[in-house]
Amino acid sequence: QVLLVESGGGLVQAGGSLRLSCAASGRTFSTYPMGWFRQAPGKEREFVAAISGSGGSIYYADSVKGRFTISRDNAKNTLYLQMANLKPEDTALYYCARSAIGRALRFSQNYDYWGQGTQVTVSS
């Protein structure tokens, strides 16, 4: 069983920044790719960013490219999402997830463990 716990969400004005963290349990964190997804009210969950186990491969949704940075610290079993120049449309519940498949990381069905989410609200 893998436990993922997100933190760092909050209320921020447009143009502001936040850093989300995702703490993972277990001793095999570095083995698996990880991803961030988000879900706004009334919308489907969407891909935000993903990173390979080593951190050598990174992927972003077009909507966040250039503003968000995904990273990981395998020594601390922690995944991060640095978000800058936030926009009201970034408002959502943000989830971290672990991929067991290691490919097609933009698709939520390829992730087997999910956190509970952390709320990000961006005011205009």
Side-chain angles (χ1 to χ4, degrees), residues 41-76:
K43 295 187 177 181
E44 291 188 355
R45 189 172 298 186
E46 66 172 355
F47 170 76
V48 175
I51 187 169
S52 62
S54 67
S57 296
I58 288 175
Y59 312 89
Y60 294 102
D62 288 343
S63 59
V64 307
K65 199 173 294 182
R67 300 188 299 121
F68 291 11
T69 302
I70 188 172
S71 62
R72 64 192 298 161
D73 185 335
N74 287 338
K76 296 182 178 179

Side-chain angles (χ1 to χ4, degrees), residues 103-115:
R103 53 181 172 83
L105 296 176
R106 297 176 182 271
F107 301 99
S108 60
Q109 60 264 40
N110 294 330
Y111 292 78
D112 55 354
Y113 287 99
W114 292 80

Side-chain angles (χ1 to χ4, degrees), residues 75-95:
K76 296 182 178 179
N77 276 22
T78 303
L79 175 73
Y80 301 100
L81 185 68
Q82 179 70 49
M83 305 185 294
N85 191 20
L86 283 160
K87 304 176 181 180
E89 51 264 42
D90 294 318
T91 294
L93 190 59
Y94 282 71
Y95 299 90

